[in-house]
Amino acid sequence: MLTPDHKNPDHKNPGRESRDHKNPHAQSPGSPTSTTHKLTTRWLPGPHHPADTPLLVSETDFRLHHIKDLPRACWAGWRLSRLWPGLEGAVALLLWADPLRRRIGSVSVWRSADDLDRFVRLRAHADIVRAYRGKGTLTTRTWESIGVPGG
């Protein structure tokens, strides 16, 4: 279930596609704590239970060009999240949507970069990427964290 997130101010620094391992506290517009009128899920647990070791956090922010594509894109993400409990190395997942800004995304936490890479290559994920290529702008970042951020 999505719930509104009205707690945090809107940050103006644009997200960049990068692997930002050094600054885990940097906020991009897609961050679930950075916009004021966003809907979010609760953190969904994965099958991997973290110890006090570094984890890989991946943040995605997909801004659609047209509002008409938003419902199907959201539904595609929800369907994909059903696989979460069975994904090797998956620790936690948070989905978010900012309908007024035509944006959707996720914050996922992984045991390792190899686990994230395996997910990215998953056929169900690749099919969604292919279906929405050219329909918006995708920004991603990754960083290391001890524990689930904000979770």
Side-chain angles (χ1 to χ4, degrees), residues 99-119:
L100 297 176
R101 295 181 178 159
R102 302 182 319 272
R103 292 170 52 199
I104 58 174
S106 66
V107 179
S108 58
V109 183
W110 300 91
R111 175 181 56 194
S112 71
D114 289 341
D115 295 319
L116 171 58
D117 290 342
R118 193 173 17 264
F119 167 75

Side-chain angles (χ1 to χ4, degrees), residues 64-74 99 102 132 135:
L64 292 148
H65 297 313
H66 303 287
I67 192 74
K68 68 180 177 65
D69 294 320
L70 185 65
R72 280 197 182 130
C74 283
R102 302 182 319 272
Y132 287 90
K135 293 187 178 194

Side-chain angles (χ1 to χ4, degrees), residues 6 11 16 21 39 41 64-65 71 79 115 121 131:
H6 300 287
H11 292 273
R16 293 185 186 90
H21 298 285
L39 304 172
T41 64
L64 292 148
H65 297 313
R79 281 193 323 266
D115 295 319
R121 291 190 311 267

Side-chain angles (χ1 to χ4, degrees), residues 31-42:
S31 172
T33 60
S34 68
T35 53
T36 56
H37 295 95
K38 192 176 296 183
L39 304 172
T40 64
T41 64
R42 62 179 173 76

Side-chain angles (χ1 to χ4, degrees), residues 36-85:
T36 56
H37 295 95
K38 192 176 296 183
L39 304 172
T40 64
T41 64
R42 62 179 173 76
W43 282 100
L44 307 171
H48 181 75
H49 301 285
D52 289 336
T53 59
L55 299 170
L56 184 71
V57 180
S58 175
E59 177 184 78
T60 64
D61 178 356
F62 187 55
R63 184 168 193 267
L64 292 148
H65 297 313
H66 303 287
I67 192 74
K68 68 180 177 65
D69 294 320
L70 185 65
R72 280 197 182 130
C74 283
W75 184 244
W78 281 108
R79 281 193 323 266
L80 187 61
S81 75
R82 292 180 191 164
L83 301 176
W84 189 254

